[in-house]
Amino acid sequence: TQDQDVAQDEANGFALRFTEALLKQKKEGENLIASPYSAWLPLAALVNGCSGATQEQLLKVIGEAGINAEKASKNMEKRLKAH
């Protein structure tokens, strides 16, 4: 569905931003091993435990800006089932 496509695009955007940030900090000759999904999952889970500006910032960081926590939780549930 279109909602699933949008959610996947947002998750991919998080993964790209996360990886890019790590690569900027990596020094030449160093190796990098990272799991964007492992960083995204606990951040997404925190959305349900906060409110207001904190919740809005978390939604923005994980690529779910502009939707409410309930919709973000449903998106997270779909991604968990897909893995």
Side-chain angles (χ1 to χ4, degrees), residues 2 19 32 45 53 57 61:
Q2 184 177 1
T19 303
L32 173 66
Q57 285 295 313
V61 166

Side-chain angles (χ1 to χ4, degrees), residues 15-57:
L16 291 172
R17 290 188 308 276
F18 176 80
T19 303
E20 183 179 67
L22 291 176
L23 287 172
K24 285 181 181 178
Q25 295 178 18
K26 184 178 104 37
K27 295 177 181 152
E28 189 174 332
E30 290 181 338
N31 295 322
L32 173 66
I33 297 174
S35 170
Y37 183 74
S38 293
W40 176 88
L41 187 59
L43 293 173
L46 284 173
V47 168
N48 292 315
C50 59
S51 61
T54 302
Q55 188 177 68
E56 289 176 24
Q57 285 295 313

